[in-house]
């Protein structure tokens, strides 16, 4: 199940240059490259002549993408403008062009109706390029369905078991005060752990010597954007009442882009608003979270293997799944609406 009328993160900005990059998004082949002025262009990664990926080709004359096989050239709008050895160009010699926006160090591609591609609907990830935050991120390819990753990020009880060496401890599962509510566009899960030991990563980042009051606010927007506000202060200093004393405040920023029904592109970053010029600190926090996310990757891929072996197998929901259940309901509704609109237009 894919939502097409949505922006998706296709790449980090540094991944795209003059050399074409091929990336499958919602099961469509896309090629991305920069023109001579540095602007990103996104086209269908499939030459209409003999179906060779255009990402195997090269950029010529500043902004034309030349097919590696027979030299057909396509402009930024996807139209073939040259076929070596002939003057007449068939009308069908064209590929799809996708709207593109470069923002927050990510390259966003609209996969649905181009007329509906409004850049104002791109979710806010300003922490990635704000001078007030230290941030570092990366990309992980996951051999699992994208909704498994969304479920994981909306249910953080797993931190106590999968990530006990870094960002988790028993309090996350046993002692959290949890609330789930619908927002105008998605779901918000709030979690508080009061007067509990800080997990290892928090001790390293904040130097805590005693118990802390810790929060996790998970903001989900469809299809798969999750922005987490996480942090801690020494217990009893007023964090639940909105005070911030001698603590650490961070953002965990996630954008999951479906590749196929069983594989995903996972773009994420960790940001902090304390000691923001300390690159060693930024790197340490990033590496700690990266260790945790690679542990998650093992879980996602193990889940997918089990699902592939028996897709009819049922599953049991527990209280911790409340956020994920709400998110899946929103996604199912949006998918049904999109399919109905498509059928009505046919």
């Amino acid at each position: 199940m894919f939502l097409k009328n949505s922006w998706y993160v296709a790449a980090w900005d540094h991944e795209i240059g003059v050399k074409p990059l091929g990336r499958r998004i919602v099961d469509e082949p896309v090629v991305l490259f920069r023109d001579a002025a540095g602007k990103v262009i996104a086209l269908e990664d499939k030459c209409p002549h003999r179906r060779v990926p255009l990402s195997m080709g090269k950029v010529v004359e500043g902004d034309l993408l030349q097919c590696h096989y027979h030299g057909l050239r396509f402009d930024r709008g996807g139209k073939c403008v040259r076929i070596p050895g002939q003057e007449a160009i068939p009308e069908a010699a064209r590929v799809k062009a996708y709207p593109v926006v470069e923002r927050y160090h990510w390259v966003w591609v609209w996969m649905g109706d181009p007329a509906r591609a409004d850049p104002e609907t791109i979710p806010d990830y300003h922490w990635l390029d704000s001078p007030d935050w230290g941030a570092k991120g990366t990309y992980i390819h996951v051999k699992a369905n994208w909704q498994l990753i969304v479920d994981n990020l909306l249910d953080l009880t797993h931190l106590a078991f999968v990530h006990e060496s870094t960002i988790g401890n028993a309090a996350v599962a046993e002692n959290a005060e949890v609330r789930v509510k619908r927002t105008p566009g998605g779901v918000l899960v709030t979690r508080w752990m009061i007067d509990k030991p800080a997990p290892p990563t928090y001790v390293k980042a904040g130097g805590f010597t005693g118990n802390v009051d810790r929060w996790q606010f998970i903001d989900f927007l469809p299809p798969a954007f999750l922005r987490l506000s996480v942090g801690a202060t020494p217990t009893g200093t007023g964090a639940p009442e909105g005070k911030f004393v001698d603590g650490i405040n961070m953002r965990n920023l996630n954008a999951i882009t479906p590749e196929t029904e069983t594989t995903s592109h996972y773009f994420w970053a960790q940001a902090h608003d304390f000691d923001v010029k300390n690159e060693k600190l930024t790197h340490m926090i990033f590496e700690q979270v990266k260790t945790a996310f690679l542990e998650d990757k093992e879980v996602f891929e193990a889940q997918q293997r089990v699902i592939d072996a028996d897709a009819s197998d049922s599953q049991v929901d527990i209280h911790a799944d409340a956020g994920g259940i709400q998110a899946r309901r929103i996604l199912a509704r949006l998918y049904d609406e999109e399919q109905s609109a498509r059928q009505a237009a046919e």
Side-chain angles (χ1 to χ4, degrees):
M1 182 182 80
F2 304 128
L3 291 177
K4 291 296 184 75
N5 286 319
S6 175
W7 292 101
Y8 287 99
V9 177
W12 284 91
D13 54 6
H14 61 77
E15 291 186 272
I16 303 177
V18 175
K19 183 178 180 181
L21 171 69
R23 190 151 275 172
R24 199 166 194 86
I25 301 173
V26 295
D27 217 13
E28 293 187 20
V30 178
V31 56
L32 303 113
F33 61 96
R34 294 186 186 275
D35 64 15
K39 182 177 177 59
V40 178
I41 298 170
L43 301 175
E44 183 179 8
D45 193 14
K46 181 173 61 178
C47 181
H49 174 221
R50 286 297 180 265
R51 300 297 191 262
V52 169
L54 291 174
S55 55
M56 294 178 66
K58 62 181 180 181
V59 179
V60 298
E61 297 184 21
D63 65 351
L64 300 180
L65 184 56
Q66 178 174 290
C67 179
H68 176 67
Y69 199 14
H70 296 98
L72 279 70
R73 294 182 178 180
F74 299 86
D75 66 14
R76 65 180 62 243
K79 181 181 179 181
C80 181
V81 296
R82 183 175 189 273
I83 300 177
Q86 72 178 64
E87 294 185 4
I89 298 177
E91 181 62 28
R94 60 173 60 244
V95 295
K96 186 185 298 185
Y98 300 91
V100 179
V101 173
E102 195 167 352
R103 189 175 295 175
Y104 312 128
H105 293 300
W106 281 341
V107 175
W108 303 75
V109 176
W110 179 269
M111 298 303 297
D113 179 3
R116 299 183 59 180
D118 180 3
E120 293 303 312
T121 62
I122 291 175
D124 178 16
Y125 281 89
H126 72 273
W127 304 274
L128 291 174
D129 57 10
S130 169
D132 298 326
W133 290 77
K136 185 174 182 178
T138 190
Y139 161 83
I140 301 174
H141 183 260
V142 180
K143 295 179 181 179
N145 180 273
W146 59 281
Q147 290 191 91
L148 296 176
I149 306 174
V150 173
D151 290 343
N152 169 276
L153 289 165
L154 281 165
D155 170 20
L156 297 184
T157 59
H158 76 276
L159 270 63
F161 311 102
V162 183
H163 311 312
E164 59 184 345
S165 68
T166 53
I167 58 176
N169 57 20
V172 178
E174 300 288 352
N175 305 114
E177 300 174 9
V178 184
R179 292 184 180 181
V180 178
K181 71 174 184 177
R182 295 284 281 266
T183 63
V187 177
L188 177 65
V189 179
T190 62
R191 301 169 56 84
W192 281 97
M193 291 134 284
I194 305 299
D195 194 14
K196 300 300 175 185
T201 297
Y202 283 51
V203 172
K204 291 180 181 179
F208 297 111
T209 57
N211 283 0
V212 299
D213 295 338
R214 181 183 175 192
W215 63 89
Q216 298 167 328
F217 302 157
I218 311 159
D219 181 17
F220 162 82
L221 290 174
F225 303 114
L226 296 108
R227 301 166 297 183
L228 281 63
S229 171
V230 299
T233 60
T235 192
T237 56
E241 292 74 45
K243 297 179 182 178
F244 187 83
V245 180
D246 297 329
I248 58 173
N249 185 30
M250 299 181 288
R251 294 293 187 276
N252 178 251
L253 307 166
N254 308 270
I256 301 96
T257 298
E259 181 182 43
T260 68
E261 288 287 2
T262 58
T263 57
S264 305
H265 304 296
Y266 191 177
F267 301 92
W268 70 273
Q270 189 77 7
H272 58 96
D273 70 352
F274 53 96
D275 203 3
V276 298
K277 301 300 182 182
N278 187 339
E279 294 184 2
K280 289 184 178 180
L281 174 65
T282 300
H283 181 72
M284 184 277 292
I285 296 173
F286 166 80
E287 287 295 329
Q288 291 276 302
V289 178
K290 180 181 177 182
T291 295
F293 278 19
L294 291 177
E295 292 169 338
D296 280 331
K297 179 177 182 288
E298 292 182 1
V299 172
F300 304 146
E301 295 182 348
Q303 286 178 282
Q304 189 64 55
R305 289 193 295 271
V306 172
I307 293 170
D308 290 343
D310 187 359
S312 65
D313 193 20
S314 62
Q315 65 181 23
V316 175
D317 293 326
I318 60 176
H319 290 313
D321 298 314
I325 290 171
Q326 292 295 324
R328 284 188 177 246
R329 288 175 179 170
I330 292 171
L331 291 166
R333 174 179 57 80
L334 292 174
Y335 179 77
D336 289 344
E337 291 173 356
E338 190 171 286
Q339 295 305 303
S340 296
R342 176 191 287 182
Q343 293 171 6
E346 291 178 351

